[in-house]
Amino acid sequence: MLKGKNILLKSMEKKDINTIYEFLSDQELRKYDCNFIIIPSKEWFIENWNNLLSLNKRYLTILNKKNSIVGYITYEQVESCCDVYDIGITIGREFWNKGYGKESINTLLEFLFMNRGAERVELEVSDFNFRAINCYKECGFIKEGEKRHRIFNHGKYSNLVIMGIIRKEYMEKINEIEIDL
């Protein structure tokens, strides 16, 4: 369990499936999903729960102070390089613009850099997902490049933005925060 000021990140449990499935099925949220996969049935998720948990990717449920699930965040170590992690996050629409995404990302970054010895954390985001890109920048991520015409969504191709933060940048960021206090 990872704790922020207003959020709690905990390992996803089978009882969370209904709420998580609602997020996965929400058409507004899906337009920002870089994977654009066809969502399996809720029954498939229930039947394959143990297999999903045995993968390298870690799924954490984001809870607010009212103990409501506001979204989920994932991380996994990149297989081709040690101490490099890939993250992703989904926040339910009714919880947008309340700071849950930023706090969840910062909480996970602290865990990855301070407890897991991460050297780098990276992510990919749709170029039209301005809210997410701004959030990532506020968390210290830097735009490193784009994969052109990598996403086909709503009848057109879009770019996939590559963003990352390295240990040195993270440490400078937290030192700045401590100085401001």
Side-chain angles (χ1 to χ4, degrees):
M1 227 180 308
L2 304 174
K3 194 169 184 157
K5 184 178 177 185
N6 297 302
I7 57 97
L8 181 68
L9 306 179
K10 68 172 190 65
S11 293
M12 197 176 285
E13 299 175 30
K14 203 169 191 174
K15 67 179 182 157
D16 302 332
I17 288 178
N18 287 334
T19 305
I20 299 302
Y21 194 80
E22 286 177 29
F23 295 150
L24 291 172
S25 304
D26 183 314
Q27 290 303 311
E28 181 70 14
L29 287 177
R30 295 212 22 90
K31 77 178 183 184
Y32 297 110
D33 184 358
C34 294
N35 294 322
F36 299 108
I37 58 171
I38 296 173
I39 303 289
S41 68
K42 191 186 307 182
E43 291 73 25
W44 181 90
F45 277 103
I46 293 168
E47 289 173 20
N48 291 284
W49 183 252
N50 290 331
N51 293 336
L52 290 171
L53 293 182
S54 68
L55 300 174
N56 287 336
K57 185 178 277 191
R58 300 290 178 228
Y59 295 84
L60 303 174
T61 303
I62 304 167
L63 300 172
N64 64 11
K65 283 189 171 189
K66 295 179 182 176
N67 217 28
S68 297
I69 297 174
V70 300
Y72 62 95
I73 192 166
T74 63
Y75 71 93
E76 67 181 316
Q77 188 165 352
V78 174
E79 289 182 23
S80 61
C81 188
C82 64
D83 301 329
V84 176
Y85 290 85
D86 182 58
I87 68 168
I89 186 169
T90 298
I91 301 291
R93 270 193 291 160
E94 64 270 29
F95 302 105
W96 286 359
N97 299 315
K98 296 186 176 167
Y100 294 123
K102 182 178 177 182
E103 186 173 351
S104 297
I105 291 165
N106 281 326
T107 301
L108 183 58
L109 286 176
E110 180 182 358
F111 170 72
L112 293 174
F113 283 113
M114 305 309 275
N115 296 85
R116 288 289 181 110
E119 177 58 29
R120 171 185 170 79
V121 178
E122 61 189 23
L123 57 87
E124 294 181 345
V125 58
S126 310
D127 67 350
F128 53 84
N129 193 346
F130 304 114
R131 181 183 302 121
I133 291 170
N134 288 332
C135 176
Y136 298 140
K137 285 179 180 177
E138 288 178 21
C139 292
F141 284 84
I142 295 170
K143 179 180 173 183
E144 299 176 334
E146 290 189 22
K147 294 179 183 178
R148 297 175 302 141
H149 286 223
R150 178 61 174 78
I151 302 166
F152 187 77
N153 187 16
H154 296 276
K156 70 175 195 166
Y157 285 96
S158 297
N159 298 343
L160 194 60
V161 176
I162 302 162
M163 300 183 81
I165 182 171
I166 60 174
R167 172 178 286 284
K168 179 182 175 205
E169 295 161 345
Y170 177 78
M171 297 308 288
E172 288 170 357
K173 179 182 164 257
I174 61 169
N175 287 336
E176 286 174 16
I177 292 170
E178 288 175 3
I179 290 170
D180 288 343
L181 295 177

